[in-house]
Amino acid sequence: MANLTIVGTQWGDEGKGKIVDLLARTAQLVVRFQGGPNAGHTVCSPRGRFTFHQVPSGILYARTRCVIGLGCVLDPFRLNEELDEIEKKGIRVEKRLFIDRRTHLILPYHRVLDRLQEEQLADRRIGTTGRGIGPAYGDKYARIGIRAGDLLNEDRFEEKLRRNVAAANFRLMEVYKAEPLNFKQVLTEYWEATRGLTPMIVDGTLLIEQALRQDRRVLFEGAQGTHLDIDLGSYPYVTTSSTVVAGAALGSGISPFWLEEAVGVAKAYTTRVGAGPFPTELQEREGEQLRELGAEYGATTGRPRRCGWFDAGLVRAAVRYNRLNALVITKLDVLDSLPEIRIGTGYRYQGKKVREFDPFLADGLEPEYITLPGWCEPTSGCRRYGDLPVRAKRYIEKIAQLVDCPVAMVSVGSGRDQTVIVDARRLRWLKSG
Ligand code: GDP
Ligand code: IMO
Ligand code: MG
């Protein structure tokens, strides 16, 4: 038996998609356990480049089954678009893609409210992806959400939708002085858009549990990153789901005692889209240089990502929250041309040393740096750890030491083959594949 949970250790976009796709080669089941179309997971495969928003990144292997877990929120319109694109590239998802019946749905009013709430926050805005994520999870916790299983019964769906559209319209008109939605139109369009999806709606928890019981290989795919977690992240500049390893159990509907090991994906530097603290952020020319080198533009919204040095205090906290067995360092090649590379080793707060990123202190955290010499050689052709320049290896080893977690793999390009195994013993998943 083997199962592996993959999470982001920073603020998202660490390259989880590439790593999930790569490690899914030997998986029988891949489960997305939280988030929704706010995610953009890029996979470069022989079939072309894919950006997955809601479909698990294991879908490219014809024998792999995929579940959109109950911890996700699902936008059927966006899922249809995504499926169209995937199918155009020759990937068939029939009888391979499933949606848990407990998964909450994103409705048109969630998207409208997401935008209006952001506008109202003015200079405190979070910079959401505008996909309706926060309002959809809000309804879930307010216990008025509509779930995928509700799409199997027209009367039930209509009744719930009628109530929710009325409530949303009240808010839209009274609070935001905005146009109300037309219930009949929402109902008709939503019902139509979801007819093709109903065969996928199942009790996902049973499917996942059965796979685990039968010793199948199961991958749990996280979205966003540890510091965007609703509880452990840089609140309020976070997303609204549990992005950490604990979320894999909750968001799949299985006992946490099933989970065997976890790997954290960390970019060789740091990026963030949207607002919120970012101690090692680089400003202006330096930030732009890293953005251009790493092509750091959002996979979902196209927004330029804020860029900065690797922040060991940030990843160290992620190692602890997730109890990571190992790290995968991505985008090492992006640093190839830099003569000097800095690493944030920790912080000072009012003169005192602080080892871990702490959102309560975030505004006053002053990062401390070490500077390492760059390797100034291309790494994207490296396939074995021994192929990497000595200084690149030193960089990796320094990161591992600072964050107190071994590195199992390094990624040196977006392609599947552009991956270097550093130490396969660190992950049972690699050994047993
Ligand atoms: P995710 O949200 O964590 O899956 O990451 P994204 O897909 O949003 O962003 C990562 C970007 O970096 C994508 O465009 C990937 O194709 C690309 N990428 C992943 N790994 C590497 C790498 O090792 N080197 C380079 N240069 N690009 C990479
Ligand atoms: P992947 O899975 C990077 C950020 C948004 C915003 C905050 C809240 O591709 O790594 P939301 O729309 O979720 O309410 O926005 O979270 N955010 C992401 N940043 N990568 C993501 O996903 C993100 N998903 C949400 O930019 O700051
Ligand atoms: Mg992304």
Side-chain angles (χ1 to χ4, degrees):
M1 182 175 88
N3 69 73
L4 174 68
T5 304
I6 300 176
V7 295
T9 58
Q10 295 154 323
W11 282 294
D13 301 327
E14 296 92 346
K16 299 175 293 293
K18 157 166 173 171
I19 302 305
V20 172
D21 165 75
L22 184 74
L23 298 182
R25 191 180 58 82
T26 59
Q28 275 118 359
L29 186 68
V30 179
V31 185
R32 247 294 287 278
F33 57 84
Q34 45 72 228
N38 49 350
H41 295 179
T42 314
V43 173
C44 298
S45 83
R47 298 233 193 189
R49 190 184 164 90
F50 295 80
T51 303
F52 297 116
H53 299 287
Q54 304 185 90
V55 174
S57 304
I59 200 75
L60 298 182
Y61 301 97
R63 284 197 303 272
T64 305
R65 301 219 268 177
C66 291
V67 178
I68 298 175
L70 63 85
C72 297
V73 284
L74 181 78
D75 184 332
F77 296 102
R78 298 243 165 218
L79 180 62
N80 285 338
E81 285 171 15
E82 199 175 329
L83 292 178
D84 282 349
E85 267 181 48
I86 295 175
E87 286 177 352
K88 249 188 249 156
K89 291 182 183 159
I91 309 295
R92 297 188 60 86
V93 306
E94 258 157 40
K95 301 208 174 88
R96 290 206 298 127
L97 177 64
F98 301 94
I99 301 165
D100 195 293
R101 59 185 184 169
R102 297 174 183 85
T103 305
H104 280 253
L105 297 172
I106 299 174
L107 286 120
Y109 45 83
H110 291 135
R111 284 195 303 271
V112 180
L113 286 166
D114 193 354
R115 187 169 48 77
L116 293 170
Q117 280 172 7
E118 279 279 278
E119 275 171 24
Q120 203 181 39
L121 282 171
D123 61 346
R124 288 178 303 125
R125 73 178 53 162
I126 290 154
T128 70
T129 58
R131 298 290 187 268
I133 307 294
Y137 279 111
D139 277 1
K140 165 173 168 168
Y141 285 98
R143 293 164 295 182
I144 57 167
I146 305 179
R147 300 188 287 179
D150 294 325
L151 295 170
L152 303 176
N153 179 324
E154 190 164 11
D155 292 338
R156 190 167 60 196
F157 178 73
E158 182 170 342
E159 186 198 320
K160 290 188 177 182
L161 186 70
R162 187 188 302 278
R163 262 188 271 146
N164 284 9
V165 170
N169 280 345
F170 180 80
R171 278 176 73 192
L172 287 175
M173 290 187 294
E174 297 300 315
V175 181
Y176 298 105
K177 312 293 174 217
E179 286 293 305
L181 299 177
N182 178 317
F183 165 69
K184 272 278 171 230
Q185 191 186 344
V186 174
L187 175 66
T188 314
E189 289 176 4
Y190 209 86
W191 191 254
E192 233 165 71
T194 51
R195 288 315 84 202
L197 302 177
T198 55
M200 301 178 192
I201 301 170
V202 298
D203 188 339
T205 69
L206 285 179
L207 215 144
I208 299 164
E209 167 118 12
Q210 201 175 34
L212 292 165
R213 280 191 190 284
Q214 292 174 347
D215 282 351
R216 301 269 195 260
R217 288 169 65 81
V218 183
L219 265 190
F220 297 95
E221 174 181 13
Q224 289 82 52
T226 296
H227 295 281
L228 287 171
D229 182 87
I230 183 70
D231 293 298
L232 293 157
S234 46
Y235 192 90
Y237 300 101
V238 295
T239 188
T240 39
S241 60
S242 299
T243 63
V244 290
V245 170
L250 281 175
S252 308
I254 57 157
S255 161
F257 299 113
W258 280 111
L259 303 181
E260 284 194 336
E261 54 178 5
V263 69
V265 184
K267 216 175 261 189
Y269 47 99
T270 313
T271 62
R272 166 161 216 171
V273 215
F278 186 167
T280 61
E281 182 170 16
L282 286 166
Q283 303 298 336
E284 298 178 11
R285 232 195 49 241
E286 281 186 302
E288 278 161 31
Q289 186 193 10
L290 211 43
R291 182 179 310 132
E292 294 314 314
L293 286 172
E296 293 295 352
Y297 295 89
T300 295
T301 58
R303 291 180 289 176
R305 295 172 180 154
R306 299 158 63 194
C307 297
W309 297 120
F310 187 88
D311 185 345
L314 192 74
V315 176
R316 192 180 286 136
V319 169
R320 184 166 72 87
Y321 299 153
N322 294 295
R323 203 172 190 265
L324 298 175
N325 298 86
L327 287 177
V328 176
I329 306 286
T330 59
K331 303 191 90 160
L332 185 73
D333 55 297
V334 172
L335 305 179
D336 283 352
S337 62
L338 302 182
E340 285 188 336
I341 304 170
R342 299 175 89 187
I343 300 179
T345 54
Y347 322 88
R348 292 251 165 210
Y349 182 77
Q350 296 177 350
K352 284 206 191 81
K353 250 188 170 1
V354 175
R355 268 173 60 78
E356 258 185 25
F357 177 78
D358 180 343
F360 280 94
L361 309 179
D363 290 339
L365 287 179
E366 289 163 32
E368 294 190 307
Y369 291 104
I370 51 168
T371 304
L372 271 63
W375 44 93
C376 301
E377 270 180 65
T379 56
S380 53
C382 297
R383 296 294 176 267
R384 278 186 307 235
Y385 193 53
D387 298 342
L388 286 176
V390 173
R391 287 173 169 177
K393 284 191 279 196
R394 236 180 254 154
Y395 183 70
I396 297 295
E397 281 151 23
K398 192 72 204 170
I399 286 177
Q401 181 209 336
L402 284 169
V403 305
D404 198 18
C405 184
V407 172
M409 294 197 294
V410 173
S411 170
V412 292
S414 53
R416 281 178 181 165
D417 60 330
Q418 292 177 302
T419 315
V420 172
I421 305 250
V422 179
D423 189 351
R425 290 167 311 176
R426 296 299 174 178
L427 287 179
R428 238 189 300 173
W429 184 269
L430 293 176
K431 280 190 296 179
S432 56

